[in-house]
Amino acid sequence: MKARRVYVCADCGARSHQWQGQCAGCGAWNTLAERAEAKPAAAPGRRPSAETLLAENRPAPLAELRQGRAVAYSSGLSALDEVLGKGFMPGGVVLLAGEPGIGKSTLLLQLVGNLARTGRSAVYVSAEESLGQIRGRAERLGLLSPDLLAMATTRAEDALAALAQGQAPDLMVVDSVQTLSSEAVDGLPGSVSQVRAVSTALVEQAKRCGTTLVLVGHVTKEGQIAGPKLLEHMVDTVLSLEGDRQHLFRMLRVMKNRFGPAHEILLFHMTGAGMEVVDDPSTFFLQDRDPGLSGAALCMAVSGQRPFAVEVQALVTKTFLAIPRRTALGFDANRLHLLLAVVEKKLRLNLGGVDIYAKIGGGMKLADPALDAAIVAAVLSSFYDRALPEGAVAWGEIDLNGQIRPVASHDIRLKQAARLGYSPALHPGEVKNIGALQARLFGRSR
């Protein structure tokens, strides 16, 4: 039996693991006395159970744990449940980031309203809007109900008190974590110390009471989530709401997910009634497309496991500048420079006297390497001023030697192209290099 030393107050009996001049329990001075306390020994030949070890905060064998797994519940949007894995996980923490005015508050208020209608408890905590503003939006969206709870505060302690009540809510939305402040930490709201303290306290309390916590995060002008990088490490899921405010669509992208697949996307359409899910985004970005125009090529892109067709547009026109212009929208401009250099070298085309502009239709922003083949096809189409065959679709990564290489999710792209009736499908299995691509589309050799 091993003894340990503790300090006990002679006046009130308060215990402390180290000596101090003043008792923390009654405030008396010099009343702590050292005592030896024996720890109860385990029965001979028996190992402590996993539950006993957990209660003592000691390492426990996972195989012996009898704790049941948390069961996810629906967010109210089946498409969002599929993207998240199985829905909202009790005790899970989600970080939603996006530019101002992109629709974060609207989407989250819809989720809170939908859960309230299903009988689950949900609280919307706003540090940026008043209760009157929240009510006005809820009324416009048709979400008002007696079970829809909201709170307007800039104090993190108020949000923690809502989590610490006897009946913690199933879901709590905090909009936003950069505008809350804690009285225990110095600094202005949004500072590194405040964001770290507020998020740490909220995450710990949510996991303790089994509440799903959704934190709204601001983004910098570079598009990165504001605040310390620790914020992204602490949460279980990171979502990014993207899109151009001049367009009506919004893309929800999964950047990190401990409960399901990452890099998935979900497409929303902004309407007067809120955010509506686009059920089939495969051809959403091809609305009002005229296949008879030159300088346009279809690409079967993939984000996560979702294939969809996008239009890559290019304009090649005579330049009046000493240095020709090269502009890319929706993808990295360096990729355009690299591909044009390969085209000039391998196809022996003189592009030094023309300006070249390229973009992805619909305001999309993609980093899929499969765009390379479609970008080259669109540039050649505008250069020769000839439209591609109707229904032609291309994908594949182009290396510095002009070879078209395979890309990830090839089978998914091929099946989706066949389902949509696109033909011919120009991919690494059909064309080996950009010379073969040019010959297949325009009947020209190098």
Side-chain angles (χ1 to χ4, degrees):
M1 184 178 298
K2 185 178 180 180
R4 62 179 180 178
R5 315 302 296 181
V6 296
Y7 297 88
V8 182
C9 176
D11 292 348
C12 67
R15 304 159 69 87
S16 175
H17 292 291
Q18 61 182 4
W19 186 89
Q20 50 192 4
Q22 185 181 27
C23 174
C26 63
W29 289 89
N30 299 322
T31 57
L32 295 183
E34 183 179 5
R35 292 184 183 178
E37 183 181 61
K39 294 181 60 178
R46 295 184 58 186
R47 187 178 63 179
S49 65
E51 285 72 13
T52 302
L53 294 173
L54 286 177
E56 298 176 356
N57 199 19
R58 294 166 56 191
L62 295 178
E64 297 182 8
L65 294 181
R66 294 190 296 272
Q67 294 180 337
R69 295 181 58 186
V71 179
Y73 60 92
S74 175
S75 64
L77 290 175
S78 58
L80 181 59
D81 295 341
E82 183 180 350
V83 168
L84 294 177
K86 295 182 180 179
F88 284 141
M89 188 67 66
V93 182
V94 180
L95 174 63
L96 174 63
E99 295 182 355
I102 204 68
K104 303 183 299 296
S105 301
T106 299
L107 175 61
L108 293 176
L109 188 58
Q110 287 181 250
L111 296 180
V112 172
N114 291 337
L115 283 179
R117 288 176 176 175
T118 62
R120 288 188 176 273
S121 56
V123 178
Y124 187 93
V125 179
S126 177
E128 301 178 353
E129 297 178 298
S130 66
L131 288 178
Q133 291 174 308
I134 300 173
R135 188 191 187 283
R137 181 186 292 113
E139 188 174 10
R140 176 173 58 85
L141 299 175
L143 299 173
L144 283 181
S145 68
D147 297 325
L148 180 58
L149 304 178
M151 175 189 299
T153 181
T154 59
R155 298 177 65 253
E157 287 75 14
D158 294 339
L160 290 170
L163 283 175
Q165 293 176 356
Q167 186 66 31
D170 295 315
L171 172 69
M172 172 176 281
V173 173
V174 177
D175 186 8
S176 66
V177 69
Q178 277 89 3
T179 51
L180 282 180
S181 61
S182 174
E183 297 177 352
V185 180
D186 295 331
L188 296 175
S191 62
V192 172
S193 58
Q194 282 286 356
V195 172
R196 181 183 292 113
V198 170
S199 57
T200 300
L202 288 173
V203 169
E204 289 182 354
Q205 184 63 21
K207 290 186 176 297
R208 188 179 299 115
C209 62
T211 295
T212 303
L213 178 65
V214 179
L215 302 176
V216 177
H218 294 171
V219 296
T220 63
K221 60 183 180 181
E222 292 82 14
Q224 303 296 322
I225 299 177
K229 200 68 175 178
L230 173 69
L231 184 59
E232 298 179 49
H233 290 285
M234 290 174 58
V235 302
D236 301 305
T237 305
V238 178
L239 305 178
S240 176
L241 191 60
E242 305 170 359
D244 191 337
R245 279 178 286 182
Q246 306 302 321
H247 294 78
L248 294 179
F249 79 89
R250 302 289 187 268
M251 179 180 293
L252 185 69
R253 192 185 302 271
V254 181
M255 312 300 293
K256 168 188 174 182
N257 194 2
R258 289 174 179 163
F259 304 123
H263 307 294
E264 291 285 349
I265 64 168
L266 182 61
L267 197 64
F268 290 96
H269 187 259
M270 179 67 78
T271 67
M275 307 275 270
E276 295 183 359
V277 177
V278 177
D279 295 326
D280 186 8
S282 56
T283 59
F284 178 79
F285 299 99
L286 304 181
Q287 300 175 10
D288 301 325
R289 176 178 183 268
D290 187 352
L293 299 178
S294 63
L298 289 182
C299 177
M300 190 58 63
V302 169
S303 182
Q305 296 296 318
R306 293 176 180 268
F308 52 93
V310 295
E311 184 181 55
V312 179
Q313 303 169 355
L315 176 62
V316 180
T317 182
K318 183 179 178 180
T319 185
F320 296 95
L321 303 174
I323 301 178
R325 298 193 64 177
R326 304 288 188 259
T327 303
L329 297 177
F331 63 96
D332 188 5
N334 292 325
R335 174 182 292 185
L336 178 62
H337 296 314
L338 183 148
L339 294 175
L340 294 180
V342 174
V343 168
E344 279 196 297
K345 175 73 174 181
K346 298 301 178 181
L347 300 184
R348 299 187 178 96
L349 297 180
N350 182 13
L351 302 179
V354 294
D355 293 332
I356 300 179
Y357 308 87
K359 63 172 291 188
I360 299 177
M364 285 280 293
K365 294 182 180 179
L366 294 175
D368 190 351
L371 288 171
D372 289 357
I375 293 172
V376 170
V379 169
L380 293 177
S381 173
S382 182
F383 182 81
Y384 296 129
D385 198 18
R386 287 180 54 184
L388 299 182
E390 185 175 355
V393 62
W395 67 85
E397 181 182 7
I398 297 178
D399 64 15
L400 296 181
N401 291 317
Q403 303 297 310
I404 301 180
R405 296 191 173 189
V407 291
S409 306
H410 173 76
D411 293 338
I412 295 177
R413 302 175 200 262
L414 193 60
K415 290 179 181 178
Q416 183 71 352
R419 187 182 74 85
L420 297 176
Y422 292 146
S423 180
L426 306 173
H427 51 80
E430 293 290 329
V431 287
K432 300 297 184 183
N433 51 56
I434 59 174
L437 179 67
Q438 178 181 239
R440 182 78 176 270
L441 292 176
F442 307 103
R444 294 173 180 261
S445 59
R446 291 184 297 175

